[in-house]
Structure formats: C-alpha cells, structure tokens
Amino acid sequence: MPLKKTEKLTQAANTYKSILNAMEEWVVIVDHQSKIFFINRPYARFLGVKAEDVKGKKVTDVIENTRMHITVQTGKAERLSLQKILGSNMIANRFPIIEQGEVIGAIGTVIFHDTHEWKQINTHIKALLAEQDFNGQKPLTTDKIHSGASFHLNDVIGDSQVMKALSTKVKQVASGDVTVLIRGESGTGKELYAHAIHQLSDRAEFPFIKVNCAAIPENLLESELFGYEEGAFTGAKRGGKAGKFQLANGGTLFLDEIGDMPLPMQAKLLRVLQDREVESVGGTQATPLNIRLITATHRPLEKLIASGDFREDLYYRINVVSIALPPLRKRREDIAKLADFFLQKLSRRTGRRAPKLTVQALTAMLAYDWPGNIRELENVMEAAFYTSHDRKIPLSLLPAQLAQPSPIVQSTPTELLANQASGSLKEQLNAAERSIIQAALIECGDNRTKAAQKLGISKSTFYEKIDKYGIS
C-alpha cells in the first residue's frame, strides 16, 4: 500500500486521538492488513492491555471474536453485531475505511458494553417516546389493543423527589426480566406501575395479562390461572379454556393482591414458578412458560408469613425486586398537581371549563391524610367538579372529613408543604420556593402574570422558576 495512505490513517488518528480517548464507546482502527493502528484507552483498559503495546499486532490476536479482518476483506459494514468479549455479550459496529475505491483499513466501535446496557437504553427510548406522545396529547389506546397494557410511566402525576426517584427505579428495573413485587396502600397506583413496567420492557409487544387474586373465588382460581381441559369438571367448556399463565406466555403476568391468595393456591403457584411450566386442570402434559411475573399487594406479607397465612418460600420467589409506592400523605407537594390533573381530565370529558380550588380548599386537602390515596382524591375532585359554581371549588364543597376545621388547617399551603421538606438546606429552600410558587398560582387562578406580581418578581424571573421546578 502506498505510504501516503498510511500517512492519512496516521494523520486522522492523531487528529482525533483525544476525542476518541474521551468517548465512552470503545474504538479500534485497523490497517489494510488487519493490524491494530489505534485503540482508544477505554477499550484497551477493558482488554487489560496498553494501547501502545498492541499497536501493529493482528487484531485477531488482541480482540476476542473480532470480525474487523472480515470487514477489511469484504469492504462491507456490519451494524449492531453481537460480539462476545471476555464473557460479555456486546453490540458492535464495523465500517471499512475506503480511499479512492480501495479499502485501506476499518474502524470498529463497541456501542453497548453488554446486552443489559442495550436493554436499558431501549427502555429509556421507549420512555422518551411515550413522553413525547403524552405531551403531544397523542392517543395511546393502540397499546391496550395490542398487549392489554394501557398505562405509561407518563401517566404518573407528581414532581416530588420521591416520585422522581421511583420513576428512575422503574426504568432501571423494566429493561430486564426480573420479577417485581409492587407494594403500597390501596389507591396508590400499583396497577398503573405494573402496566408501565410492561410498556418499557422488551415484552411490550406481547400480552399483558392481569389477575386480581382477591376477586376470584378460591374454587375457581386454579382453573382461572392454569386453564382446564374439556371434561375436567362439571360445567367445563367444550374444548377447554386457556388459563392466564398460558395467555401471558411471551409477555407479562400481573398478579394483583397476591397477599389474598389462599394457601393451597400459593403452593401450586410456587411449583409453576419453580418449574417454569404449567399444567392445566385435567391435563396430562405441561406447557413451558416464558413470562415475566409482576405481583402487587397492600398487605404486610412479612406479618402474613409470621401468622402462617403466606408461604415464606413464595415470598422470596416473588420479592426479587421490591418497589414501594408512597402514600399520598408522604408526597403532599403533589396534591395540587394531581387535583388539577383530575379536574382537567373531567373538563376534557364534559367540555366544561375546569373550576379552580380556593386556597382554603387546597389547605384542607393538604392537611388531610388521604387514607384512600390517589383514588380517594380523584373521587373527591369528581364530586367537587359536578357540584361547583362560578368556576371555584370552595371548602364547603369538599367532603365533611376534609372540611372539618382543625389546628393544622389554620396553616397556609406553603407552611404545610414546608413541614414535609427534608434533606439539605438547599433542597429545603428549593422545596419551599416551589411550594410558594404553586400556592400563588392556585390563589391567582393560574394567571402567571398576577402570580408574579403577587410575589413581587418580574414575569421573566417567574417563568424561569417555573421551568426550574417543572411546574406546569
């Protein structure tokens, strides 16, 4: 090969050396003889070699299962190729370097360092696309038609730190096939999170099947879960019926209220989860299973184990990753946004302009403990929406348990929210400022100009703070 072509590789490598060494992707460049011309520091570090020591060596002697020499021979690019290096499955790209119609080398990049990393990126992209659809108010009903799952992570309303941390954990967990136990009081949104995990997973195009273990009579639960064969019992349908496990094959099975499952059924469920196969009632042949299991409960499983009402071995089988949903009283700073969301939802449904909460009504709502959590809040907002006049929801329209005067109701919304603050001084100051802005917006009927004037700051500063705290 003419010297000038080697010089071009040298010049290019030297020009971009600092950039290539700074990249998280691993990069290797080979010449026309498939000898390593350049390898960036992150890649060399992973391989346990020094970049200078392997320069000039055959790439096949340095990188396991490489196909860089094949790219040089064929002159054809290979995109998103699976390559196993030091026991890890990685995703790599390889491109020929062509000068005047002649292959003078090749460049390869490892863009994902293991398949789990790829799955996490895939989950992240799905979340971004769902957010884009949500913000654009695009209909998402096709998801339910295809898989049975109808909720996305974007359907979760709340800007509090605890909810942001929860969303981060869900994204991390969703990308794998790990079994998840969702815990939380009634009305905290356990089913919504089960849907969201499925939607963000690699199984999103496959069935999402849900079963409420507390709603099915004990004598029907086995056939409901595992299906039955024709003639298995009196009243069995001709041809039999597939169970929820069979219907969920390839996708996700969500067992809600698993803490209410009878002990005999728990033993059968455990066997299915251990063997990864299911045999229908009256059947003689087991069917292999390929499902992801998500369970949920509002009951204290540890206490149920102690009382003998829940199997300890099943508990450890389903509690691989636990996600705890906070009650509404632990995220009071989200109450105003949730209330407005429900009112706007009713407004879109009815075509009627959404009323606004008065400061007194919001103060009472912030003071209340919400034993029914988000479900209770939605019901309260629906009742207030239909009984309100003059586009206002005063304290008198709220249920008696909220409207009862108490010492805490004498506080302002800002004071109530500030009492919930925790963390560093900066975090508490930010929480307080955010609460003050929210309270001002509510008091001014969402008029941002009036709210800025009330707080004595310019409109541009007010908008900057709204962007800073993600207030909508």
Side-chain angles (χ1 to χ4, degrees):
M1 184 175 67
L3 181 61
K4 62 180 182 180
K5 292 187 177 179
T6 305
E7 289 175 345
K8 285 186 178 181
L9 275 177
T10 303
Q11 184 180 4
N14 288 336
T15 300
Y16 298 107
K17 185 176 180 180
S18 297
I19 297 173
L20 295 175
N21 280 327
M23 291 173 63
E24 288 189 5
E25 289 82 1
W26 300 341
V27 181
V28 62
I29 301 173
V30 300
D31 62 17
H32 69 294
Q33 295 178 325
S34 300
K35 292 181 179 179
I36 293 177
F37 196 83
F38 171 83
I39 186 168
N40 70 342
R41 279 198 294 266
Y43 204 172
R45 193 180 303 119
F46 170 76
L47 295 171
V49 299
K50 290 184 178 180
E52 298 78 12
D53 294 345
V54 297
K55 187 174 181 180
K57 289 186 177 181
K58 283 281 189 181
V59 69
T60 50
D61 295 333
V62 178
I63 301 176
E64 185 181 2
N65 297 318
T66 184
R67 289 177 56 85
M68 291 292 290
H69 57 299
I70 296 175
T71 301
V72 172
Q73 292 167 10
T74 63
K76 294 180 179 179
E78 295 183 354
R79 295 176 175 86
L80 301 178
S81 176
L82 195 64
Q83 181 178 350
K84 195 165 190 174
I85 308 176
L86 300 181
S88 295
N89 289 315
M90 305 186 179
I91 310 294
N93 288 330
R94 306 176 190 93
F95 302 96
I97 301 173
I98 300 174
E99 175 70 24
Q100 296 180 354
E102 183 181 357
V103 178
I104 64 171
I107 181 169
T109 59
V110 176
I111 53 176
F112 297 115
H113 303 157
D114 54 46
T115 49
H116 176 67
E117 187 178 75
W118 176 83
K119 287 180 179 179
Q120 284 189 313
I121 294 293
N122 189 38
T123 295
H124 180 66
I125 291 171
K126 285 181 180 179
L128 290 176
L129 290 174
E131 183 177 357
Q132 187 179 50
D133 287 345
F134 182 84
N135 291 335
Q137 295 299 316
K138 293 181 181 179
L140 298 171
T141 53
T142 52
D143 295 321
K144 188 167 186 177
I145 294 171
H146 293 317
S147 71
S150 53
F151 299 110
H152 290 260
L153 196 57
N154 298 97
D155 292 310
V156 177
I157 306 300
D159 299 321
S160 57
Q161 289 301 316
V162 65
M163 297 307 290
K164 288 179 180 178
L166 189 58
S167 292
T168 299
K169 184 172 183 179
V170 167
K171 290 176 186 177
Q172 292 171 336
V173 167
S175 60
D177 256 356
V178 64
T179 299
V180 179
L181 171 62
I182 304 174
R183 310 185 72 161
E185 297 177 7
S186 295
T188 50
K190 296 186 289 296
E191 183 178 335
L192 188 154
Y193 276 95
H195 283 240
I197 290 170
H198 174 78
Q199 297 279 30
L200 293 172
S201 74
D202 290 340
R203 298 177 181 266
E205 301 301 318
F206 296 94
F208 175 84
I209 304 295
K210 58 183 179 180
V211 180
N212 188 330
C213 300
I216 302 173
E218 183 176 350
N219 62 325
L220 298 179
L221 190 54
E222 182 176 7
S223 59
E224 187 71 20
L225 287 178
F226 307 143
Y228 58 82
E229 300 294 325
E230 182 176 342
F233 50 82
T234 303
K237 289 183 180 179
R238 180 174 293 181
K241 179 184 176 183
K244 301 299 187 183
F245 271 92
Q246 290 94 330
L247 294 174
N249 217 9
T252 302
L253 178 65
F254 173 48
L255 298 180
D256 196 7
E257 301 300 353
I258 195 168
D260 293 293
M261 180 177 282
L263 274 171
M265 197 64 227
Q266 292 178 31
K268 294 176 181 178
L269 173 62
L270 179 64
R271 187 190 69 246
V272 170
L273 297 180
Q274 287 174 338
D275 297 342
R276 285 286 167 180
E277 59 182 23
V278 61
E279 187 175 305
S280 56
V281 177
T284 57
Q285 196 168 12
T287 303
L289 285 178
N290 172 24
I291 64 165
R292 182 188 198 161
L293 182 67
I294 301 176
T295 60
T297 184
H298 72 284
R299 304 189 67 187
L301 294 183
E302 294 80 5
K303 290 184 179 179
L304 293 178
I305 291 170
S307 65
D309 294 315
F310 200 85
R311 293 181 64 105
E312 187 174 14
D313 45 6
L314 178 59
Y315 171 77
Y316 290 118
R317 178 68 64 172
I318 65 173
N319 190 32
V320 181
V321 171
S322 181
I323 293 179
L325 305 188
L328 193 53
R329 62 184 174 276
K330 296 293 185 182
R331 44 179 291 221
R332 294 183 194 270
E333 59 266 49
D334 292 329
I335 289 175
K337 188 168 186 177
L338 279 163
D340 185 64
F341 171 79
F342 292 132
L343 292 172
Q344 294 298 332
K345 180 180 173 182
L346 289 163
S347 174
R348 289 191 296 272
R349 185 196 301 169
T350 62
R352 174 188 169 193
R353 189 172 174 182
K356 296 290 181 183
L357 289 160
T358 63
V359 174
Q360 291 78 12
L362 176 62
T363 302
M365 289 170 60
L366 291 172
Y368 184 56
D369 270 349
W370 299 101
N373 292 294
I374 299 167
R375 187 181 295 121
E376 183 184 6
L377 174 60
E378 182 174 14
N379 291 339
V380 167
M381 288 299 95
E382 185 169 5
F385 180 89
Y386 286 109
T387 56
S388 64
H389 300 285
D390 301 324
R391 295 198 296 272
K392 291 284 185 182
I393 299 177
L395 179 61
S396 59
L397 289 184
L398 299 183
Q401 65 268 27
L402 277 83
Q404 286 175 352
S406 64
I408 195 169
V409 175
Q410 304 307 314
S411 305
T412 66
T414 303
E415 290 167 340
L416 285 164
L417 289 167
N419 290 335
Q420 300 295 316
S422 61
S424 67
L425 176 61
K426 183 178 180 181
E427 290 170 340
Q428 293 189 52
L429 289 172
N430 285 340
E433 185 175 54
R434 185 178 187 279
S435 301
I436 291 168
I437 292 171
Q438 281 185 310
L441 280 168
I442 291 166
E443 191 168 344
C444 296
D446 244 3
N447 186 312
R448 298 185 176 188
T449 302
K450 288 183 179 179
Q453 291 172 349
K454 176 179 175 61
L455 297 176
I457 59 177
S458 68
K459 192 173 179 181
S460 60
T461 301
F462 188 78
Y463 274 91
E464 286 174 7
K465 292 184 181 297
I466 283 177
D467 289 338
K468 176 182 177 181
Y469 297 117
I471 298 172
S472 59

